[in-house]
Amino acid sequence: MAFRRRNKSYPFFSQEFLIQNHADIVFSLVIFILIGLMFEATAKTAILFIQPQYNISTPSPEGEVTLYQYGWQDCTTILFYFFITIILHAVVQEYILDKVNRRLHLSKSKNTKFSESGQLCVFHLVSSVWSFYILITEGYVFHPSTLWENYPHVHLRFQVKFFYLTQLAYWLHALPELYFQKVRKEEIPRQLQYICLYLLHISAAYLLNLSPVGLVLLCLQYLSELGFHIARIFYFTDESHQKMFDLWAVNFVFTRMVTLTLVFLAVGFGLARAENQGLDWDMGNFNTVLIRMPVLLLVSLTQSWLLWKFIRFQLKRWREFRHEQVARKRVAAKQTLRPKVTNVDGLDLPKKKHSFSVSSAKCFVP
C-alpha cells in the first residue's frame, strides 16, 4: 500500500527514506498487530492494542451495561490508534490535499499552511460531530447539572472512553508529523504550543475524572477552530474571501466566554458544593481545593492567553487596514489635484511649458 509517489529511491533507513515511507512502515505494524488476533497464543496480547481495557459489567434497568475505567494499559490502545492516525493523515494528505494543492499552484509557505488547515479541518469536523453526538446521547446537553453531579465520573461508557483515547492518539501523532511533513523551523514553536495545550487539557480531564466537562469544552473548541480553518482554506483559494474571518472572530470570543463560564460553574461552584470533598486515589476522587484551583487557573490562563493573542492579531490587522486606506487616499488625492490639458486628439495630459507633439504626448496617458 503506497501512500506517496516515489520519484526517487533513497537508501534504506536514511532520513529521506523514513520520511517518504513512514506511512507504509506504520501500516505494516498495524497489519502485524491485526494478524496477532488470528492466533490463540497472541490474541490476548493483540487485543490490548485494539480494544479499550478495564471494562466492568454493572446492572441497570436495561440489563447489564459495560462501563470502563482508565489505567496503564490504555497506553497500548493509544499507541495502536496513534499508528492509525498516522495512516489516515497520510491518506488525507496524498489523496485530497496534495491534489488540491497542485490545482491551486500555491507558494511553498501557503502550501504548508493549506495542508495544516486541511488536516485540522477534517479532524475538527469529525471530532465536533462525534463529541456533540456523545453529549446528546449521554444527556449532558439537556441536563447541564450532570457535568458535576455524581462526581467522580470514574465509570465511562465505551464511546466516551474511546473518544478520549483517540483524541490523545491524534495529538500525540501530531508531534512526529512535524518531522514527517518537514515543517519549517519558524512554524514549529507555534504548532508545538497548541499541540501541547491540547494534550495537557485532554489528559487533565481524562485523569481527573472530569470527562463530561472536557467533552463540552472540546466540542466548543473544535467548532471554533473548524470555522477558523475553513475561513483560512477559502482565503488561500481566493484572497478576497475575508468575511468568514469576521464570523470566526465573533465565534471565537463567544467560545472563550462560554468556556470560562462553564468551567467556573462546574468546577468552581458545582464541585465546591459537593458532599464528597477530599482526595481519594482509590475512588478517583480529586475534589479538593488544591486540585480545583489549578484546574481553574489552567483554563483561565489558557483562555486569557488566547484572547490576548486574538486582540493583538486584530489590532495588527486593523492598523494594516488603516495604512492601506491612507495610502489609497493619498494616491487618489494626487491624481485629482494634478492639472490636466486636452490636446487636439482629446487626450488628458499634464501641463508643460515647452511645446510637444501629439505622438510624444501619448506616452503620458495612464
Side-chain angles (χ1 to χ4, degrees):
M1 182 177 182
F3 289 102
R4 294 187 178 276
R5 298 179 180 178
R6 283 149 179 79
N7 298 323
K8 184 179 178 181
S9 60
Y10 297 97
F12 284 101
F13 303 110
S14 64
Q15 180 179 358
E16 291 298 329
F17 177 83
L18 292 175
I19 291 175
Q20 191 180 58
N21 300 278
H22 72 276
D24 295 328
I25 297 172
V26 170
F27 183 76
S28 301
L29 294 175
V30 171
I31 293 298
F32 180 76
I33 295 173
L34 293 176
I35 290 175
L37 294 173
M38 301 172 62
F39 304 97
E40 185 177 357
T42 58
K44 292 183 179 180
T45 303
I47 204 68
L48 294 176
F49 291 88
I50 302 172
Q51 182 179 338
Q53 303 300 308
Y54 302 103
N55 57 316
I56 57 173
S57 297
T58 57
S60 68
E62 301 176 355
E64 286 192 354
V65 178
T66 303
L67 301 176
Y68 293 83
Q69 298 174 326
Y70 67 79
W72 289 107
Q73 292 181 1
D74 290 341
C75 297
T76 58
T77 310
I78 293 173
L79 179 63
F80 178 78
Y81 291 100
F82 170 86
F83 294 151
I84 295 295
T85 50
I86 290 179
I87 297 172
L88 295 177
H89 187 112
V91 170
V92 173
Q93 185 68 39
E94 175 67 20
Y95 295 105
I96 300 177
L97 298 178
D98 286 348
K99 291 183 179 180
V100 176
N101 285 334
R102 295 188 196 103
R103 293 185 178 182
L104 295 177
H105 303 289
L106 299 175
S107 62
K108 189 174 182 179
S109 60
K110 286 186 177 181
N111 189 2
T112 303
K113 293 181 179 179
F114 180 86
S115 298
E116 177 193 359
S117 291
Q119 293 285 351
L120 290 175
C121 191
V122 173
F123 170 72
H124 289 320
L125 177 61
V126 173
S127 297
S128 58
V129 173
W130 188 6
S131 59
F132 186 69
Y133 172 78
I134 295 175
L135 291 175
I136 292 177
T137 55
E138 295 293 326
Y140 298 140
V141 174
F142 304 105
H143 303 90
S145 59
T146 55
L147 296 177
W148 60 85
E149 289 180 350
N150 300 322
Y151 180 83
H153 303 279
V154 178
H155 301 103
L156 307 175
R157 294 184 182 270
F158 173 82
Q159 59 180 356
V160 178
K161 177 166 182 173
F162 189 64
F163 176 81
Y164 273 96
L165 295 181
T166 52
Q167 293 296 309
L168 292 171
Y170 180 87
W171 291 112
L172 284 172
H173 113 280
L175 295 173
E177 285 295 340
L178 298 177
Y179 171 73
F180 294 142
Q181 299 299 323
K182 295 182 179 180
V183 178
R184 295 184 303 171
K185 291 183 179 180
E186 55 269 22
E187 288 288 328
I188 291 178
R190 178 185 64 83
Q191 295 193 29
L192 279 177
Q193 284 180 352
Y194 70 76
I195 291 172
C196 293
L197 283 174
Y198 273 115
L199 286 173
L200 178 61
H201 285 75
I202 295 173
S203 301
Y206 184 62
L207 297 177
L208 297 178
N209 296 317
L210 294 171
S211 55
V213 180
L215 275 170
V216 177
L217 299 185
L218 282 176
C219 183
L220 292 172
Q221 177 65 20
Y222 287 157
L223 287 174
S224 176
E225 291 297 303
L226 177 63
F228 170 74
H229 290 291
I230 291 176
R232 194 157 77 153
I233 288 175
F234 277 101
Y235 175 77
F236 288 142
T237 57
D238 187 358
E239 294 186 356
S240 61
H241 292 116
Q242 297 186 4
K243 292 184 178 180
M244 295 190 68
F245 284 108
D246 297 331
L247 297 175
W248 165 77
V250 176
N251 186 24
F252 180 86
V253 176
F254 174 77
T255 302
R256 304 285 80 76
M257 297 297 103
V258 174
T259 298
L260 289 172
T261 303
L262 282 176
V263 170
F264 276 94
L265 179 63
V267 179
F269 293 96
L271 293 182
R273 297 180 179 180
E275 296 180 357
N276 55 344
Q277 301 287 329
L279 181 63
D280 190 344
W281 292 91
D282 296 331
M283 297 297 297
N285 185 12
F286 302 97
N287 190 12
T288 64
V289 178
L290 296 178
I291 301 296
R292 292 197 305 267
M293 291 304 295
V295 170
L296 293 174
L297 187 62
L298 173 63
V299 177
S300 300
L301 289 177
T302 303
Q303 301 304 312
S304 301
W305 178 69
L306 291 173
L307 278 174
W308 177 69
K309 287 186 62 178
F310 172 78
I311 293 172
R312 284 187 59 189
F313 172 76
Q314 294 297 328
L315 289 176
K316 181 182 177 181
R317 184 182 174 190
W318 179 77
R319 291 193 193 100
E320 292 176 353
F321 177 76
R322 292 292 299 172
H323 288 318
E324 290 179 0
Q325 292 293 324
V326 171
R328 289 176 182 176
K329 289 181 180 179
R330 288 178 180 175
V331 172
K334 289 180 180 180
Q335 291 179 353
T336 55
L337 293 176
R338 188 169 61 179
K340 297 181 180 180
V341 295
T342 305
N343 68 345
V344 293
D345 289 340
L347 298 173
D348 292 336
L349 302 172
K351 289 184 178 181
K352 287 191 179 250
K353 293 182 179 180
H354 59 276
S355 60
F356 52 89
S357 62
V358 175
S359 61
S360 63
K362 290 182 181 179
C363 67
F364 293 97
V365 180

